């Protein structure tokens, strides 16, 4: 009886029978007697052509000398590497490929620093092919080319696409407002960088006699900063475009200026409204239209739509200007007697509804409008995020 078995089409030696799972995934040779059919090579012929690892002769890596970004494909990528050795290991990992027939692959790498720009990577591989343990060692030189990425080049060249101008109506922005504008700009840029946007950066912040100028890399950042300032402090924002150049495709490139105009009155200021006999107003918010509380009664105040956030008024002082003085006696539900902080004479003043009748001292503000009791910053009154006291939080 004849024995039917497979033979290696290259050397003619018989090919041992193996299970389908053992042969799965292997590359077989074409059967010359049956075009289109495939037969297995014997182990000797198979390993003659077997390449465990496919590796380039050399790997060139472009690294930004300023920020450490790596150029991959057609763009710069932040890799977060601690040094160039980490970059080299990652690039070698991306460049090497292991034969698909190898199972149980394990590998390790030993970097060797040849000079500041060259790292020799010694790579060791082990695996199993056709039930046979295999191993291989390859050495890949990695050449580091220090360059300047697009982002760092723009920063070094003071590039900017947008200017945010922080100003205030009839006053100069406070140091708190200026510092908050800087914080907002840096936070917005940090958030955009965290999402992989390498075009986001603050080019320059410069304080002027009337406010702050912030130069940023994109119009999107400028718009976000402006809107956030108005959201927190109130006011308005206007933008104006200026044609600066044309790009390589002939498209017009505009630089946008965002003019942020903060309200004239800040939360915490005490103002006296023109043609109003209701007494001074402690400003709580200047977002939209001005809102506050009456220092004489504690009642709410809100400017009309027409007046907006800048009704006709004059400044009397600020909550921080209040002076602690002694309560002499509570006369009735509308009046209380306190000591004048300048003359030390007992004076009867209006009793606002946030006044605590059991207190022994109160903060008062003496101005051209008279003597008025202000909310106690150390009492139960809540302080809003915009910095103003809101007695209604505890006297609702």
């Amino acid at each position: 009886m004849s024995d039917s078995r497979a033979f290696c089409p290259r050397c003619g030696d018989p090919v041992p029978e193996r299970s389908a799972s053992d042969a799965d995934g292997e590359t077989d040779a074409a059967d010359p007697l049956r075009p289109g059919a495939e037969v297995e090579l014997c182990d000797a012929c198979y390993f003659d052509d077997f390449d465990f690892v496919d590796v380039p002769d050399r790997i060139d890596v472009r690294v930004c000398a300023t920020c450490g970004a790596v150029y991959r494909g057609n763009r710069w990528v932040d890799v977060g590497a601690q040094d160039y050795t980490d970059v080299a290991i990652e690039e070698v990992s991306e460049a090497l490929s292991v034969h698909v027939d190898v199972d149980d692959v394990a590998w390790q790498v030993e970097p060797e620093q040849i000079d500041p720009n060259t790292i020799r990577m010694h790579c060791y591989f082990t695996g199993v092919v056709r039930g046979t343990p295999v191993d291989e060692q390859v050495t890949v030189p990695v050449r580091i080319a220090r360059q300047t990425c697009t982002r760092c080049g723009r920063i070094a060249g003071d590039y900017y696409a947008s200017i945010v101008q922080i100003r205030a109506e009839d006053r100069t922005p406070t140091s708190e407002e200026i510092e908050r504008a800087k914080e907002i700009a840096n936070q917005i840029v940090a958030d955009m960088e965290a999402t992989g946007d390498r075009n986001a950066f603050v080019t320059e912040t410069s304080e002027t006699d009337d406010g702050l100028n912030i130069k940023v890399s994109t119009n999107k950042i400028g718009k976000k900063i402006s809107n956030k300032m108005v959201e927190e402090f109130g006011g308005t924002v206007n933008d104006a475009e200026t044609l600066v150049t044309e790009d390589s495709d002939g498209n017009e490139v505009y630089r946008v200026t965002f003019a942020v105009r903060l309200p004239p009155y800040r939360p915490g200021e005490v103002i006296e409204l023109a043609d109003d006999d209701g007494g001074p107003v402690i400003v709580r918010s200047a977002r939209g239209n001005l809102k506050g509380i009456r220092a004489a009664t504690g009642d709410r105040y809100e400017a009309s739509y027409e007046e907006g956030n800048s009704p006709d008024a004059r400044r009397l002082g600020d909550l921080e200007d209040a002076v602690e003085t002694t309560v002499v006696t509570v006369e009735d539900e509308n009046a209380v007697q306190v000591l004048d902080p300048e003359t030390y004479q007992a004076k009867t003043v209006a009793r606002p509804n946030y006044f605590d009748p059991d207190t022994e001292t109160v903060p008062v503000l003496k101005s051209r409008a008279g003597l008025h009791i202000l909310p106690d910053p150390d009492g139960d009154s809540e302080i809003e995020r915009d910095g103003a006291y809101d007695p209604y939080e505890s006297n609702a």
Side-chain angles (χ1 to χ4, degrees), residues 161-164 184 188 192 214 216-231 237-239 256-260:
S162 177
I163 305 177
V164 180
I184 289 173
I188 288 174
M192 296 180 71
I214 307 175
V216 292
S217 58
T218 68
N219 295 331
K220 183 178 181 180
I221 298 175
K223 186 175 182 179
K224 284 188 174 183
I225 295 172
S226 303
N227 291 341
K228 185 63 175 178
M229 285 294 293
V230 172
E231 177 185 332
V237 56
N238 296 304
D239 59 82
V256 180
T257 299
F258 295 92
V260 178

Side-chain angles (χ1 to χ4, degrees), residues 121-355:
M121 310 298 290
H122 302 283
C123 308
Y124 305 91
F125 295 84
T126 60
V128 178
V129 179
R130 289 192 170 190
T132 302
V134 292
D135 62 82
E136 186 165 347
Q137 175 181 346
V138 296
T139 300
V140 186
V142 178
R143 187 75 176 175
I144 304 295
R146 292 179 175 85
Q147 300 180 356
T148 300
C149 70
T150 305
R151 181 178 187 270
C152 292
R154 288 181 172 181
I155 293 175
D158 294 329
Y159 170 86
Y160 66 97
S162 177
I163 305 177
V164 180
Q165 297 177 338
I166 308 298
R167 303 292 186 269
E169 185 179 344
D170 298 330
R171 65 181 178 90
T172 302
T174 65
S175 58
E176 291 80 6
E177 290 168 334
I178 288 177
E179 289 304 313
R180 181 55 184 151
K182 294 178 182 178
E183 291 176 1
I184 289 173
N186 291 329
Q187 186 59 55
I188 288 174
V189 167
D191 291 343
M192 296 180 71
E193 287 180 333
T195 63
D197 187 350
R198 302 198 78 254
N199 292 321
F201 57 87
V202 176
T203 304
E204 180 186 56
T205 58
S206 57
E207 296 187 26
T208 66
D209 292 338
D210 53 357
L212 176 71
N213 292 338
I214 307 175
K215 295 180 179 180
V216 292
S217 58
T218 68
N219 295 331
K220 183 178 181 180
I221 298 175
K223 186 175 182 179
K224 284 188 174 183
I225 295 172
S226 303
N227 291 341
K228 185 63 175 178
M229 285 294 293
V230 172
E231 177 185 332
E232 288 197 14
F233 297 101
T236 60
V237 56
N238 296 304
D239 59 82
E241 294 182 342
T242 303
L243 179 63
V244 291
T245 187
E246 291 185 355
D247 62 19
S248 57
D249 297 326
N251 299 315
E252 296 179 335
V253 178
Y254 291 87
R255 181 171 291 158
V256 180
T257 299
F258 295 92
V260 178
R261 202 75 170 176
L262 300 179
Y265 308 113
R266 298 179 297 105
E269 282 192 300
V270 182
I271 61 175
E272 184 179 36
L273 301 167
D275 302 323
D276 184 285
D277 57 2
V281 171
I282 305 170
V283 179
R284 292 182 56 241
S285 172
R287 290 173 292 191
N289 56 344
L290 187 139
K291 305 173 185 66
I293 56 174
R294 298 281 187 178
T297 63
D299 294 337
R300 294 178 183 270
Y301 166 81
E302 183 170 343
S304 65
Y305 176 80
E306 291 75 15
E307 293 174 315
N309 59 23
S310 56
D312 187 13
R314 62 177 179 175
R315 293 178 177 84
L316 299 178
D318 194 276
L319 287 173
E320 296 179 354
D321 299 328
V323 178
E324 199 76 13
T325 191
T326 302
V327 176
V328 178
T329 183
V330 178
E331 296 187 355
D332 54 38
E333 61 181 13
N334 296 316
V336 60
Q337 198 173 81
V338 299
L339 287 182
D340 186 309
E342 294 180 356
T343 66
Y344 298 102
Q345 295 178 343
K347 286 192 174 181
T348 299
V349 299
R351 174 183 170 177
N353 57 22
Y354 51 77
F355 170 76

Side-chain angles (χ1 to χ4, degrees), residues 54 71 120 158 178 283 367:
D54 184 19
Y71 192 82
R120 187 176 294 161
D158 294 329
I178 288 177
V283 179
S367 67

Side-chain angles (χ1 to χ4, degrees), residues 63-94:
V63 178
C64 178
T66 302
C67 69
V70 176
Y71 192 82
R72 289 177 178 167
N74 59 352
R75 65 191 183 96
W76 290 93
V77 179
D78 291 313
V79 296
Q82 297 297 321
D83 54 38
Y84 290 152
T85 300
D86 293 336
V87 173
I89 292 175
E90 188 170 349
E91 292 299 312
V92 169
S93 301
E94 294 291 332

